[in-house]
Amino acid sequence: MITSTQAIRNKFFRFSSIRNYNYSSTSTGSINNSTTINRGTHIHHNHKIYQSHHYHASASSSFVTMTRMNTLGHGCGGAGMGNVKDQMIPTSAEEQQHLFKHTKRPKTVSIIGAPMTFGQPFVGTDRGPQYLREAGLLQDLSSLGWRVHDQGDLNFDSLANDMNRNINTSSTTSSDKYTADIDVNAKNSIIVGKGCEMIANAVKSVIANGQFPLILGGDHSIGTGSLAGILQARPNTGVIWVDAHADINTPETSDSGNMHGMPISFLIEGMVDSKGIPGFEWLSKPEMSAARLNPDSIVYVGLRDVDSLERKFIREKNIKAFTMYDIDKYGIGSVMDQALTHLLEKDPSRPIHVSYDIDAVDPAHAPATGTTVRGGLTYREAHFVGEAVAMSGCLASVEMVELNPTLSDGAGSNDTIELGLGLITSLMGKSII
């Protein structure tokens, strides 16, 4: 259990200097505002110029102000916690030779914004990619030695606009514009499904170019698209699913019909007939036959809110799952050792994909998300998950989802965005020494 003193220490370890950011975006085509940077160079984005490691701009947002102030450091005389800065220090040169072995050198991370919000009921998850960029994602990745290609955000608005035009010219009277005339318990399945197809194609293209896909959600319904593209390119990929929830419901078993609770079931053979789910027909095409997830190729970490039928699926399919009980009992170090051993024992060079839902972390640290559950990962446990997978050398792709700064106050939103950014950098090779 975290004491109040530990919580304060963790909070101020994350915030150390005044940092204001400005970012703007316009929608053009299916992917918006492509940007490429190299370490130590200037970053050109939408006619604004940022210099890696040293920059200062201003911004305002109706939901969150990206400002960090070293309030504890003032008056501490150099001896206080507020003077500790979370530095972007990569692993040693020797270690880097063994990390990210599935990414072509010089290693390039390709950022794919997937601002999906229709897989759950709360507006705001679509702002996650923007806020992570504003918080300094590109600069931090560059500081860790990555070449950075920011592909911008996939244009899901175009899908919504097309469907609205079609519906407005039809005779339908359905109140649900995105699943009009469809009797299926999968809300907004058309836009979610077509959005996932866009993600799958983008991810597959990045892997074909030898780059590292970093997918920024958006809600967790995008997991179907991310994994479909990854498995099509690398069918032997192992998956670590970091989440408070199992996300293995089907349209038949889901109480809510929200598709962010179903992404895994669409990829396990026999669980969902994608031909019968509008928007997901593409998954049944012959060329997508490799995009199937074997139950022994996924490991859950951090579960603590699992529906009864999801428990049945996990047991019947013998899926490796570490709940918060297991983390409490064995410790996060042992859990990650077991998780990686399970995935890598037969093939030590197997590519690993991490899908990280911010709600895996305790809401004391990440309150700005839609399905918070108390008793989650601590701040250090959450980072250790990323660090452990990175040090395996097999990490080949990452997805960060469910950041929603509209669901907390300013401080809570800032905490959640900063934590999401920190977890990404831990996954991408940030080292303490």
Side-chain angles (χ1 to χ4, degrees), residues 102-123:
H102 297 284
T103 302
K104 187 169 63 177
R105 266 46 177 182
K107 65 183 193 293
T108 300
V109 55
S110 189
I111 300 171
I112 302 169
M116 178 60 70
T117 189
F118 297 101
Q120 46 79 58
F122 300 110
V123 173

Side-chain angles (χ1 to χ4, degrees), residues 48-159:
K48 295 179 175 63
I49 299 178
Y50 307 90
Q51 186 178 12
S52 295
H53 318 303
H54 303 286
Y55 49 92
H56 189 84
S58 61
S60 61
S61 167
S62 57
F63 298 127
V64 59
T65 303
M66 303 303 294
T67 303
R68 303 289 174 266
M69 298 188 67
N70 179 7
T71 52
L72 184 62
H74 294 300
C76 288
M81 294 177 292
N83 294 321
V84 178
K85 181 182 174 76
D86 188 13
Q87 301 182 66
M88 290 299 112
I89 300 176
T91 54
S92 68
E94 181 179 357
E95 286 176 324
Q96 286 195 51
Q97 295 177 14
H98 305 289
L99 303 188
F100 309 105
K101 62 182 70 174
H102 297 284
T103 302
K104 187 169 63 177
R105 266 46 177 182
K107 65 183 193 293
T108 300
V109 55
S110 189
I111 300 171
I112 302 169
M116 178 60 70
T117 189
F118 297 101
Q120 46 79 58
F122 300 110
V123 173
T125 54
D126 53 323
R127 306 298 292 275
Q130 173 187 343
Y131 286 131
L132 287 168
R133 292 186 181 102
E134 288 177 345
L137 176 62
L138 276 66
Q139 293 84 354
D140 285 353
L141 292 172
S142 174
S143 298
L144 294 175
W146 288 89
R147 297 179 69 251
V148 180
H149 179 205
D150 184 4
Q151 297 197 37
D153 289 347
L154 294 167
N155 192 356
F156 297 145
D157 287 341
S158 66
L159 298 175

